[in-house]
Amino acid sequence: MRIVSISRRTDIPAFYSPWLFRRLKEGYALVRNPRNAKQTRFVSLKPEDVRCFVFWTKDARPMFARLDELEAHESAFYFMWTVTPYGPEIEPGFPRKEEIVSAFRQLSGRIGPRRTIWRYDPVVLDDSFPVRKHLEAFARMCASLDGATERCIVSFVDMYRKLRGKGITEVGEEDMRIIARGFSEIAGAHGIAVQTCCEAADFGAEGCFPGGCIDAALVEELSGKPVPEKKDAGQRPLCRCAPSVDIGAYDTCPGGCAYCYATQSAAAVRANVSRHDPTSPLLTGIPSPEEQLLIQQSRTPQQISLGLL
């Protein structure tokens, strides 16, 4: 059985929910290797093959009307919902944060705060958001999300090449520690634990401890099924996530966030979005004859019983 990530590569809940629910109904998805487009993987999404779904999003509202279908699937699931204070200059493709906070609380009221995890990710420093403003914004958000979540995952912006010259500065360790200490104290007053993601520095003295976003212990708790104690070798060296299979694709998110590592080109996103077909097993494009053959071969009961999917 596997954990299915939906998705580090794009915001499927926000922009591709009809496709997702069709994939769940049909019981599988196809995923092209992002490093080799000639390699395609068949991913079974059937309850007997999935231990847990982990949803990554900035706006899960398009899924709300069909949560009953997700519950009926019988696989465990939880959401990691990114809520940051940035405006359209950094996150142009998403609604006003007041709407998002309200929706976050709505989801938590439906599935519980343990399965609704808040990501304040990444912390971006620029002229509009110095350290002080982050602390103020975080305090307001904690007050708004009090009782709606038990955990906040925080990371600091990675300075990818495309961010150079855009006014975003690398976060120094001293500022990291000020933010980590402040966030921990603020969140603690609201019953929220702060966890860091993929950070080299140790912020334990500030009250923030590293952890995995795809959390083996949480998956085991929610699913009632054991999760092997190993990290995902396909992720960054500092990542503590359990192994998972991602069914998303790079350069497909219309959100347009300035800091996003999964989007290299706005033109590529437009092209991929135009190729999206909600009825296709691929997120973008339609299967080639070779991929159609893979579907036929991979869906045999014998292969499923052998655990080859």
Side-chain angles (χ1 to χ4, degrees):
M1 298 187 75
R2 63 168 57 92
I3 300 169
V4 178
S5 170
I6 310 174
S7 158
R8 285 184 173 94
R9 300 169 182 169
T10 190
D11 195 330
I12 289 176
F15 299 111
Y16 299 106
S17 280
W19 176 85
L20 171 63
F21 281 102
R22 188 178 182 103
R23 300 282 73 341
L24 293 177
K25 182 177 181 180
E26 296 191 3
Y28 74 98
L30 291 185
V31 184
R32 290 196 179 113
N33 185 333
R35 296 179 180 85
N36 184 353
K38 294 181 179 179
Q39 294 180 350
T40 302
R41 181 173 186 175
F42 180 100
V43 180
S44 173
L45 302 179
K46 294 182 178 180
E48 59 266 30
D49 297 320
V50 177
R51 183 179 281 108
C52 185
F53 293 112
V54 179
F55 297 99
W56 313 64
T57 189
K58 286 188 174 72
D59 188 0
R61 289 179 297 175
M63 293 183 67
F64 282 8
R66 303 181 70 175
L67 286 175
D68 285 344
E69 294 177 47
L70 188 57
E71 296 277 9
H73 189 276
E74 298 179 1
S75 297
F77 68 89
Y78 66 92
F79 282 78
M80 290 185 292
W81 193 325
T82 297
V83 187
T84 58
Y86 313 122
E89 69 285 351
I90 292 181
E91 297 176 345
F94 293 94
R96 294 170 62 246
K97 295 307 162 75
E98 293 83 358
E99 295 178 38
I100 295 300
V101 167
S102 176
F104 187 108
R105 294 194 65 89
Q106 185 179 347
L107 178 64
S108 175
R110 172 70 182 273
I111 68 173
R114 192 148 184 79
R115 292 197 289 169
T116 315
I117 296 172
W118 173 24
R119 291 179 62 88
Y120 192 105
D121 171 41
V123 174
V124 174
L125 293 186
D126 60 14
D127 291 341
S128 299
F129 277 92
V131 171
R132 172 187 53 79
K133 191 163 183 180
H134 274 289
L135 295 173
E136 293 171 353
F138 189 77
R140 290 194 299 272
M141 288 185 172
C142 279
S144 296
L145 296 175
D146 190 312
T149 188
E150 298 177 0
R151 186 189 321 188
C152 179
I153 299 173
V154 175
S155 72
F156 298 94
V157 68
D158 290 314
M159 292 301 294
Y160 302 109
R161 184 183 306 171
K162 69 176 185 176
L163 295 182
R164 306 291 179 185
K166 293 190 175 181
I168 295 174
T169 60
E170 190 164 3
V171 186
E173 187 169 327
E174 182 179 351
D175 285 338
M176 287 184 183
R177 294 196 180 281
I178 292 170
I179 290 169
R181 184 179 301 108
F183 279 17
S184 179
E185 292 174 355
I186 293 165
H190 295 277
I192 301 171
V194 178
Q195 170 187 313
T196 58
C197 170
C198 288
E199 296 298 336
D202 182 350
F203 299 107
E206 286 75 27
C208 300
F209 297 92
C213 300
I214 298 185
D215 184 341
L218 179 59
V219 170
E220 192 165 306
E221 174 191 329
L222 296 177
S223 68
K225 298 162 186 171
V227 178
E229 292 185 9
K230 59 180 180 178
K231 68 183 295 295
D232 193 333
Q235 302 303 320
R236 293 176 287 174
L238 293 170
C239 179
R240 294 170 178 256
C241 285
S244 65
V245 177
D246 199 298
I247 63 170
Y250 292 110
D251 280 317
T252 57
C253 185
C257 298
Y259 49 74
C260 183
Y261 65 85
T263 299
Q264 297 301 315
S265 162
V269 171
R270 289 193 295 271
N272 285 328
V273 169
S274 71
R275 295 172 61 236
H276 172 70
D277 180 346
T279 67
S280 172
L282 290 160
L283 186 61
T284 182
I286 58 174
S288 66
E290 293 81 5
E291 289 165 335
Q292 291 283 8
L293 181 61
L294 176 66
I295 295 171
Q296 295 170 14
Q297 293 174 335
S298 297
R299 299 181 75 186
T300 65
Q302 183 181 15
Q303 285 185 306
I304 293 173
S305 68
L306 291 173
L308 298 179
L309 306 184

